[in-house]
Amino acid sequence: MKAIMIPEAYKIEVLDIPQPEIEQENEVLVKIKRVGICGSDMHIYHGTNPLATYPRIVGHEVAGEVIKIGSNVNKVAVGDHVVIEPISYCGECYACKSGRPNVCKEVSVFGVHEDGGMKEFAVLSERQVHKVDPEIDWDEAVMAEPYTIGAQATWRGNVKEGNTVFIQGAGPIGICVLKMAKIHGATVIISDITNERLEFAKENGADYTINPNEVDLESKIYEITNDEGANIVIDAVGTPQTFELSVNVASAAGNVVTLGFNAKPSSIAQLPVTKKELTITGSRLQTNQFGKVVQLLNEKKLTHNGLITHKFPLSEVKEAFEFVEKNPQLVRKAVIVFD
Ligand SMILES: NC(=O)c1ccc[n+]([C@@H]2O[C@H](COP(=O)([O-])OP(=O)(O)OC[C@H]3O[C@@H](n4cnc5c(N)ncnc54)[C@H](O)[C@@H]3O)[C@@H](O)[C@H]2O)c1
Ligand SMILES: [Zn+2]
Ligand SMILES: [Zn+2]
Protein backbone atom coordinates (compact mmCIF):
# COMPACT_ATOMS: atom_id res chain seq x y z
CA MET A 1 0.00 0.00 0.00
CA LYS A 2 1.02 3.62 -0.42
CA ALA A 3 1.98 5.76 2.59
CA ILE A 4 3.07 9.39 2.84
CA MET A 5 6.27 9.71 4.79
CA ILE A 6 8.22 12.76 5.96
CA PRO A 7 11.70 11.24 6.35
CA GLU A 8 13.22 14.55 7.48
CA ALA A 9 12.27 18.22 7.37
CA TYR A 10 11.35 19.57 3.89
CA LYS A 11 11.21 16.09 2.35
CA ILE A 12 8.12 14.12 1.51
CA GLU A 13 7.96 10.65 -0.03
CA VAL A 14 5.22 8.33 -1.21
CA LEU A 15 6.34 4.87 -0.09
CA ASP A 16 5.18 1.36 -0.92
CA ILE A 17 4.92 -0.51 2.40
CA PRO A 18 3.18 -3.74 3.41
CA GLN A 19 -0.51 -3.43 4.29
CA PRO A 20 -0.95 -3.75 8.09
CA GLU A 21 -2.81 -6.76 9.52
CA ILE A 22 -5.07 -7.04 12.55
CA GLU A 23 -3.01 -8.56 15.39
CA GLN A 24 -5.24 -8.05 18.45
CA GLU A 25 -8.84 -9.16 18.86
CA ASN A 26 -9.97 -5.58 19.62
CA GLU A 27 -8.48 -4.04 16.47
CA VAL A 28 -10.08 -2.90 13.23
CA LEU A 29 -8.67 -2.48 9.71
CA VAL A 30 -9.70 0.81 8.10
CA LYS A 31 -9.48 1.77 4.42
CA ILE A 32 -8.57 5.45 4.58
CA LYS A 33 -10.71 7.81 2.47
CA ARG A 34 -9.74 11.37 3.44
CA VAL A 35 -6.94 12.96 5.47
CA GLY A 36 -6.81 16.67 6.27
CA ILE A 37 -3.55 18.63 6.21
CA CYS A 38 -3.24 20.53 9.49
CA GLY A 39 -0.95 23.34 10.62
CA SER A 40 0.87 20.80 12.78
CA ASP A 41 1.56 18.57 9.73
CA MET A 42 3.12 21.64 8.10
CA HIS A 43 5.21 22.15 11.26
CA ILE A 44 6.45 18.55 11.02
CA TYR A 45 7.25 19.19 7.34
CA HIS A 46 9.18 22.34 8.30
CA GLY A 47 11.01 20.65 11.18
CA THR A 48 9.40 23.04 13.70
CA ASN A 49 7.23 20.62 15.70
CA PRO A 50 9.26 19.87 18.86
CA LEU A 51 7.12 16.81 19.67
CA ALA A 52 7.56 15.02 16.35
CA THR A 53 10.27 12.50 15.54
CA TYR A 54 11.38 11.35 12.09
CA PRO A 55 10.82 9.49 9.88
CA ARG A 56 7.09 10.03 10.31
CA ILE A 57 3.93 9.04 8.42
CA VAL A 58 1.82 12.13 9.19
CA GLY A 59 -1.96 12.65 9.31
CA HIS A 60 -4.28 12.90 12.31
CA GLU A 61 -7.46 14.25 10.67
CA VAL A 62 -8.71 10.97 9.23
CA ALA A 63 -11.92 9.39 7.94
CA GLY A 64 -12.29 5.92 6.44
CA GLU A 65 -14.27 2.71 6.10
CA VAL A 66 -13.96 -0.38 8.30
CA ILE A 67 -13.06 -3.35 6.07
CA LYS A 68 -12.17 -5.99 8.69
CA ILE A 69 -12.66 -6.41 12.46
CA GLY A 70 -10.97 -8.44 15.18
CA SER A 71 -12.84 -11.29 16.91
CA ASN A 72 -13.73 -9.17 19.97
CA VAL A 73 -14.85 -5.94 18.28
CA ASN A 74 -18.41 -4.86 19.10
CA LYS A 75 -18.38 -1.11 18.55
CA VAL A 76 -18.21 -1.14 14.73
CA ALA A 77 -18.87 -3.56 11.85
CA VAL A 78 -17.42 -4.09 8.39
CA GLY A 79 -18.72 -1.36 6.07
CA ASP A 80 -19.09 1.28 8.79
CA HIS A 81 -17.80 4.76 8.06
CA VAL A 82 -15.57 6.01 10.87
CA VAL A 83 -13.47 8.94 12.02
CA ILE A 84 -10.30 8.34 13.99
CA GLU A 85 -9.58 9.62 17.49
CA PRO A 86 -5.86 10.31 17.21
CA ILE A 87 -4.64 9.84 20.79
CA SER A 88 -3.50 6.92 22.89
CA TYR A 89 -2.47 7.11 26.56
CA CYS A 90 -1.30 5.11 29.58
CA GLY A 91 -4.52 5.04 31.63
CA GLU A 92 -2.49 5.05 34.89
CA CYS A 93 -1.08 8.55 35.47
CA TYR A 94 -2.74 11.38 37.40
CA ALA A 95 -4.11 13.04 34.23
CA CYS A 96 -5.56 9.76 32.92
CA LYS A 97 -7.12 8.94 36.29
CA SER A 98 -8.57 12.46 36.42
CA GLY A 99 -10.37 11.79 33.13
CA ARG A 100 -7.96 13.94 31.11
CA PRO A 101 -6.01 11.38 29.03
CA ASN A 102 -5.33 14.07 26.39
CA VAL A 103 -2.63 15.39 28.72
CA CYS A 104 -1.36 11.94 29.80
CA LYS A 105 2.34 12.02 30.59
CA GLU A 106 2.76 9.41 27.85
CA VAL A 107 0.18 10.73 25.40
CA SER A 108 0.91 9.60 21.87
CA VAL A 109 -0.68 11.44 18.98
CA PHE A 110 -1.32 9.54 15.76
CA GLY A 111 0.77 11.23 13.06
CA VAL A 112 3.00 13.14 15.51
CA HIS A 113 4.59 10.83 18.11
CA GLU A 114 3.66 7.70 16.13
CA ASP A 115 2.85 6.99 12.48
CA GLY A 116 -0.49 8.47 11.45
CA GLY A 117 -3.20 8.16 8.84
CA MET A 118 -1.71 9.33 5.53
CA LYS A 119 -1.69 5.80 4.17
CA GLU A 120 -4.16 3.59 2.34
CA PHE A 121 -4.94 1.29 5.29
CA ALA A 122 -4.57 1.57 9.08
CA VAL A 123 -5.05 -0.88 11.97
CA LEU A 124 -6.46 0.78 15.09
CA SER A 125 -7.89 -0.21 18.43
CA GLU A 126 -11.72 -0.09 18.32
CA ARG A 127 -11.54 2.56 21.06
CA GLN A 128 -10.01 4.95 18.52
CA VAL A 129 -12.75 4.73 15.88
CA HIS A 130 -16.11 6.49 15.97
CA LYS A 131 -18.92 5.55 13.61
CA VAL A 132 -20.40 8.29 11.37
CA ASP A 133 -23.65 7.90 9.38
CA PRO A 134 -22.80 6.55 5.91
CA GLU A 135 -24.81 9.31 4.25
CA ILE A 136 -22.41 11.96 5.61
CA ASP A 137 -20.02 13.01 2.85
CA TRP A 138 -16.36 12.07 3.42
CA ASP A 139 -15.47 15.75 3.06
CA GLU A 140 -17.68 16.51 6.07
CA ALA A 141 -16.55 13.52 8.14
CA VAL A 142 -12.84 14.36 7.75
CA MET A 143 -13.41 17.61 9.67
CA ALA A 144 -14.36 15.74 12.88
CA GLU A 145 -10.93 16.03 14.52
CA PRO A 146 -10.53 19.81 14.03
CA TYR A 147 -14.08 20.26 15.36
CA THR A 148 -13.10 18.33 18.50
CA ILE A 149 -10.38 20.96 19.11
CA GLY A 150 -13.12 23.62 19.00
CA ALA A 151 -15.37 21.49 21.22
CA GLN A 152 -12.58 21.07 23.77
CA ALA A 153 -11.83 24.82 23.86
CA THR A 154 -15.50 25.73 24.41
CA TRP A 155 -15.77 23.00 27.08
CA ARG A 156 -12.63 24.23 28.86
CA GLY A 157 -14.01 27.79 28.70
CA ASN A 158 -17.42 26.60 29.95
CA VAL A 159 -19.19 28.40 27.09
CA LYS A 160 -22.94 28.59 27.70
CA GLU A 161 -25.98 30.06 26.00
CA GLY A 162 -26.05 33.85 26.32
CA ASN A 163 -22.31 34.23 27.01
CA THR A 164 -20.22 36.63 24.97
CA VAL A 165 -17.21 34.79 23.55
CA PHE A 166 -14.24 36.55 21.98
CA ILE A 167 -12.13 34.35 19.71
CA GLN A 168 -8.74 35.65 18.58
CA GLY A 169 -7.77 34.28 15.15
CA ALA A 170 -10.06 33.12 12.33
CA GLY A 171 -7.76 30.41 11.00
CA PRO A 172 -9.15 26.86 10.71
CA ILE A 173 -8.97 26.39 14.50
CA GLY A 174 -10.62 29.74 15.26
CA ILE A 175 -13.42 28.83 12.81
CA CYS A 176 -13.91 25.42 14.50
CA VAL A 177 -14.12 27.18 17.89
CA LEU A 178 -16.60 29.66 16.36
CA LYS A 179 -18.84 26.85 15.05
CA MET A 180 -18.92 25.18 18.49
CA ALA A 181 -19.52 28.48 20.36
CA LYS A 182 -22.49 29.24 18.10
CA ILE A 183 -23.89 25.74 18.67
CA HIS A 184 -23.72 26.51 22.41
CA GLY A 185 -25.79 29.66 21.82
CA ALA A 186 -23.09 32.25 22.54
CA THR A 187 -22.67 35.69 20.98
CA VAL A 188 -19.31 35.57 19.19
CA ILE A 189 -16.80 38.31 18.48
CA ILE A 190 -13.82 37.18 16.39
CA SER A 191 -10.64 38.97 15.37
CA ASP A 192 -8.15 38.42 12.58
CA ILE A 193 -5.64 40.57 10.75
CA THR A 194 -6.98 39.28 7.39
CA ASN A 195 -10.32 40.71 6.26
CA GLU A 196 -11.00 37.74 3.96
CA ARG A 197 -10.82 35.40 6.99
CA LEU A 198 -13.16 37.71 8.93
CA GLU A 199 -15.62 37.63 6.02
CA PHE A 200 -15.57 33.81 6.14
CA ALA A 201 -16.11 33.94 9.93
CA LYS A 202 -19.19 36.09 9.34
CA GLU A 203 -20.54 33.52 6.87
CA ASN A 204 -20.05 30.96 9.65
CA GLY A 205 -22.04 32.79 12.27
CA ALA A 206 -19.71 35.39 13.86
CA ASP A 207 -21.81 38.22 15.31
CA TYR A 208 -18.97 40.79 15.30
CA THR A 209 -15.65 40.79 13.46
CA ILE A 210 -12.66 42.98 14.31
CA ASN A 211 -9.39 43.59 12.47
CA PRO A 212 -6.93 44.77 15.17
CA ASN A 213 -4.85 46.50 12.47
CA GLU A 214 -7.78 48.75 11.66
CA VAL A 215 -9.48 49.52 14.99
CA ASP A 216 -8.49 49.63 18.65
CA LEU A 217 -9.43 46.12 19.69
CA GLU A 218 -9.68 46.65 23.42
CA SER A 219 -12.03 49.63 23.24
CA LYS A 220 -14.11 47.87 20.55
CA ILE A 221 -14.62 44.81 22.80
CA TYR A 222 -15.67 47.03 25.72
CA GLU A 223 -17.98 48.98 23.40
CA ILE A 224 -19.68 45.80 22.10
CA THR A 225 -20.05 44.35 25.60
CA ASN A 226 -21.36 47.54 27.28
CA ASP A 227 -18.11 47.87 29.25
CA GLU A 228 -18.33 44.35 30.69
CA GLY A 229 -15.63 42.62 28.63
CA ALA A 230 -15.94 39.19 27.01
CA ASN A 231 -17.08 36.38 29.33
CA ILE A 232 -14.85 33.85 27.61
CA VAL A 233 -11.77 34.73 25.58
CA ILE A 234 -10.32 31.94 23.45
CA ASP A 235 -6.87 32.56 21.96
CA ALA A 236 -6.55 30.75 18.64
CA VAL A 237 -3.50 32.80 17.58
CA GLY A 238 -1.05 32.07 20.37
CA THR A 239 1.39 34.99 20.63
CA PRO A 240 2.57 36.64 23.87
CA GLN A 241 0.50 39.70 22.87
CA THR A 242 -2.75 37.83 22.23
CA PHE A 243 -2.45 36.15 25.66
CA GLU A 244 -1.96 39.56 27.31
CA LEU A 245 -4.92 40.97 25.41
CA SER A 246 -7.08 37.99 26.48
CA VAL A 247 -6.54 38.86 30.14
CA ASN A 248 -7.21 42.56 29.50
CA VAL A 249 -10.53 42.12 27.69
CA ALA A 250 -11.99 39.25 29.75
CA SER A 251 -14.95 40.22 31.93
CA ALA A 252 -14.97 39.85 35.71
CA ALA A 253 -15.58 36.17 36.58
CA GLY A 254 -14.50 35.40 33.02
CA ASN A 255 -12.52 32.54 31.50
CA VAL A 256 -9.44 32.72 29.29
CA VAL A 257 -8.58 29.68 27.16
CA THR A 258 -5.17 29.24 25.53
CA LEU A 259 -4.65 27.00 22.50
CA GLY A 260 -1.16 28.06 21.43
CA PHE A 261 2.14 26.27 22.03
CA ASN A 262 4.25 29.42 22.01
CA ALA A 263 7.19 29.17 24.42
CA LYS A 264 7.76 32.95 24.53
CA PRO A 265 6.56 34.50 27.81
CA SER A 266 3.80 37.06 28.04
CA SER A 267 3.82 40.00 30.42
CA ILE A 268 0.74 39.49 32.58
CA ALA A 269 0.27 41.17 35.96
CA GLN A 270 -1.53 39.47 38.84
CA LEU A 271 -3.79 42.49 39.31
CA PRO A 272 -6.33 41.88 36.50
CA VAL A 273 -6.35 38.13 37.20
CA THR A 274 -7.09 38.53 40.91
CA LYS A 275 -9.27 41.61 40.62
CA LYS A 276 -11.52 40.00 38.00
CA GLU A 277 -11.10 36.51 39.51
CA LEU A 278 -10.29 35.11 36.08
CA THR A 279 -9.94 31.43 35.29
CA ILE A 280 -7.07 30.87 32.85
CA THR A 281 -7.07 27.44 31.30
CA GLY A 282 -5.19 25.56 28.60
CA SER A 283 -6.94 23.44 25.98
CA ARG A 284 -5.00 20.66 24.30
CA LEU A 285 -6.34 18.11 21.79
CA GLN A 286 -9.60 16.76 23.23
CA THR A 287 -11.19 14.56 25.88
CA ASN A 288 -14.51 12.82 25.23
CA GLN A 289 -15.44 15.23 22.43
CA PHE A 290 -15.70 12.78 19.52
CA GLY A 291 -19.12 11.41 20.54
CA LYS A 292 -20.60 14.92 20.68
CA VAL A 293 -18.97 16.04 17.43
CA VAL A 294 -20.03 12.92 15.51
CA GLN A 295 -23.59 13.43 16.67
CA LEU A 296 -23.50 17.04 15.41
CA LEU A 297 -22.03 15.82 12.08
CA ASN A 298 -24.79 13.20 11.77
CA GLU A 299 -27.43 15.85 12.50
CA LYS A 300 -25.77 18.08 9.85
CA LYS A 301 -25.41 20.82 12.49
CA LEU A 302 -21.67 20.87 11.76
CA THR A 303 -20.87 21.40 8.07
CA HIS A 304 -17.60 22.72 6.70
CA ASN A 305 -19.31 25.35 4.54
CA GLY A 306 -16.23 26.25 2.52
CA LEU A 307 -13.63 25.51 5.22
CA ILE A 308 -12.20 22.86 2.87
CA THR A 309 -10.86 24.92 -0.01
CA HIS A 310 -8.57 22.39 -1.75
CA LYS A 311 -8.50 18.64 -2.46
CA PHE A 312 -5.56 16.71 -3.85
CA PRO A 313 -5.29 13.04 -4.89
CA LEU A 314 -2.71 10.88 -3.10
CA SER A 315 -0.48 11.01 -6.20
CA GLU A 316 -0.16 14.80 -5.79
CA VAL A 317 0.67 14.94 -2.10
CA LYS A 318 4.01 16.72 -2.64
CA GLU A 319 2.23 19.38 -4.69
CA ALA A 320 -0.38 19.61 -1.91
CA PHE A 321 2.19 20.38 0.82
CA GLU A 322 3.99 22.85 -1.47
CA PHE A 323 0.72 24.54 -2.39
CA VAL A 324 -0.35 24.89 1.25
CA GLU A 325 3.10 26.27 2.10
CA LYS A 326 3.13 28.85 -0.68
CA ASN A 327 -0.52 29.96 -0.58
CA PRO A 328 -1.58 30.46 3.04
CA GLN A 329 -3.92 33.23 1.92
CA LEU A 330 -5.81 30.87 -0.42
CA VAL A 331 -5.94 27.69 1.66
CA ARG A 332 -8.22 27.27 4.67
CA LYS A 333 -8.08 23.47 4.80
CA ALA A 334 -6.60 21.13 2.20
CA VAL A 335 -7.53 17.45 2.13
CA ILE A 336 -5.84 14.42 0.57
CA VAL A 337 -8.27 12.08 -1.19
CA PHE A 338 -7.52 8.34 -1.01
CA ASP A 339 -9.90 6.56 -3.39
N1 LIG B 1 -4.30 23.24 21.60
C1 LIG B 1 -4.58 22.48 20.58
O1 LIG B 1 -5.05 21.37 20.72
C2 LIG B 1 -4.35 22.99 19.20
C3 LIG B 1 -4.71 22.23 18.07
C4 LIG B 1 -4.49 22.78 16.79
C5 LIG B 1 -3.93 24.05 16.67
N2 LIG B 1 -3.58 24.74 17.81
C6 LIG B 1 -3.01 26.09 17.74
O2 LIG B 1 -4.08 26.98 17.44
C7 LIG B 1 -3.57 28.13 16.77
C8 LIG B 1 -4.37 28.39 15.51
O3 LIG B 1 -4.25 27.32 14.59
P1 LIG B 1 -4.65 27.51 13.07
O4 LIG B 1 -4.38 26.22 12.36
O5 LIG B 1 -6.02 28.11 12.95
O6 LIG B 1 -3.54 28.59 12.64
P2 LIG B 1 -3.46 29.65 11.44
O7 LIG B 1 -2.07 30.17 11.47
O8 LIG B 1 -4.00 29.08 10.19
O9 LIG B 1 -4.48 30.81 11.89
C9 LIG B 1 -4.13 31.82 12.78
C10 LIG B 1 -4.93 33.05 12.38
O10 LIG B 1 -4.62 34.10 13.29
C11 LIG B 1 -4.55 35.32 12.58
N3 LIG B 1 -3.77 36.26 13.39
C12 LIG B 1 -2.43 36.45 13.47
N4 LIG B 1 -2.14 37.40 14.38
C13 LIG B 1 -3.32 37.83 14.88
C14 LIG B 1 -3.67 38.80 15.85
N5 LIG B 1 -2.75 39.53 16.51
N6 LIG B 1 -4.98 38.97 16.14
C15 LIG B 1 -5.93 38.23 15.52
N7 LIG B 1 -5.65 37.31 14.58
C16 LIG B 1 -4.37 37.12 14.26
C17 LIG B 1 -3.93 34.94 11.25
O11 LIG B 1 -4.24 35.89 10.25
C18 LIG B 1 -4.60 33.58 10.99
O12 LIG B 1 -5.80 33.71 10.23
C19 LIG B 1 -2.08 27.84 16.55
O13 LIG B 1 -1.35 28.48 17.58
C20 LIG B 1 -1.98 26.32 16.70
O14 LIG B 1 -0.71 25.92 17.15
C21 LIG B 1 -3.80 24.23 19.04
ZN1 LIG C 1 -4.90 19.05 13.31
ZN1 LIG D 1 -1.62 8.60 31.45
Side-chain angles (χ1 to χ4, degrees):
M1 70 167 184
K2 295 213 164 28
I4 298 162
M5 160 83 73
I6 299 189
E8 59 186 89
Y10 288 101
K11 277 203 179 149
I12 193 155
E13 284 171 3
V14 180
L15 300 180
D16 250 316
I17 60 172
Q19 186 177 318
E21 307 255 0
I22 289 179
E23 283 170 5
Q24 312 277 342
E25 54 184 17
N26 66 343
E27 287 177 337
V28 299
L29 177 63
V30 177
K31 163 84 186 81
I32 306 298
K33 292 286 191 180
R34 296 283 186 285
V35 183
I37 300 180
C38 172
S40 60
D41 298 317
M42 295 309 291
H43 288 310
I44 296 174
Y45 180 57
H46 292 148
T48 52
N49 183 328
L51 302 175
T53 51
Y54 301 85
R56 180 63 59 234
I57 295 173
V58 288
H60 58 273
E61 303 177 356
V62 189
E65 183 176 332
V66 175
I67 55 166
K68 200 172 175 187
I69 60 172
S71 57
N72 199 21
V73 168
N74 309 307
K75 190 173 163 186
V76 291
V78 170
D80 281 353
H81 291 196
V82 292
V83 292
I84 292 175
E85 176 162 357
I87 61 168
S88 49
Y89 44 86
C90 80
E92 299 295 329
C93 71
Y94 174 76
C96 283
K97 285 185 172 152
S98 310
R100 310 260 293 276
N102 53 320
V103 287
C104 169
K105 64 179 166 65
E106 286 169 24
V107 71
S108 179
V109 180
F110 192 60
V112 180
H113 308 87
E114 60 186 77
D115 283 340
M118 280 200 194
K119 54 194 177 195
E120 289 180 288
F121 300 91
V123 168
L124 293 139
S125 134
E126 68 170 330
R127 194 173 47 70
Q128 281 183 272
V129 296
H130 297 269
K131 186 176 159 181
V132 179
D133 280 353
E135 67 181 52
I136 301 301
D137 198 285
W138 290 116
D139 292 346
E140 298 293 349
V142 71
M143 293 304 298
E145 194 276 344
Y147 294 146
T148 66
I149 305 297
Q152 181 79 3
T154 52
W155 173 65
R156 295 288 289 150
N158 197 21
V159 173
K160 297 219 159 56
E161 191 167 355
N163 290 158
T164 301
V165 177
F166 171 41
I167 301 164
Q168 299 198 63
I173 294 299
I175 295 293
C176 292
V177 177
L178 163 67
K179 285 176 186 280
M180 291 308 303
K182 287 312 294 177
I183 284 170
H184 286 295
T187 298
V188 178
I189 310 167
I190 193 162
S191 68
D192 203 287
I193 51 175
T194 312
N195 287 331
E196 191 275 333
R197 292 204 158 186
L198 290 176
E199 210 38 59
F200 184 66
K202 246 194 192 139
E203 288 164 25
N204 282 275
D207 299 280
Y208 301 91
T209 58
I210 307 176
N211 184 333
N213 289 342
E214 293 175 1
V215 292
D216 180 61
L217 213 153
E218 256 182 77
S219 38
K220 191 74 192 167
I221 299 277
Y222 281 101
E223 183 191 313
I224 293 169
T225 60
N226 291 324
D227 280 336
E228 188 174 67
N231 308 128
I232 296 105
V233 185
I234 301 178
D235 185 351
V237 179
T239 64
Q241 294 74 26
T242 53
F243 189 21
E244 288 159 18
L245 186 85
S246 299
V247 168
N248 290 343
V249 299
S251 72
N255 295 340
V256 170
V257 181
T258 68
L259 280 155
F261 293 92
N262 200 321
K264 288 197 201 106
S266 303
S267 179
I268 293 174
Q270 290 188 27
L271 176 69
V273 179
T274 310
K275 190 177 160 203
K276 297 194 275 188
E277 218 178 44
L278 298 181
T279 303
I280 300 178
T281 163
S283 180
R284 182 179 176 199
L285 308 165
Q286 59 76 41
T287 344
N288 298 326
Q289 304 295 340
F290 267 90
K292 214 186 304 182
V293 161
V294 164
Q295 192 184 336
L296 289 164
L297 277 171
N298 287 342
E299 292 168 357
K300 301 193 173 75
K301 288 184 180 153
L302 270 174
T303 53
H304 77 77
N305 187 30
L307 191 47
I308 296 177
T309 47
H310 295 82
K311 293 205 279 181
F312 295 86
L314 171 59
S315 57
E316 288 173 22
V317 68
K318 280 185 198 172
E319 290 82 349
F321 273 72
E322 277 164 22
F323 189 85
V324 173
E325 178 171 32
K326 294 195 178 118
N327 299 283
Q329 72 290 0
L330 298 179
V331 181
R332 294 191 193 111
K333 170 69 68 187
V335 167
I336 307 291
V337 178
F338 292 69
D339 270 338

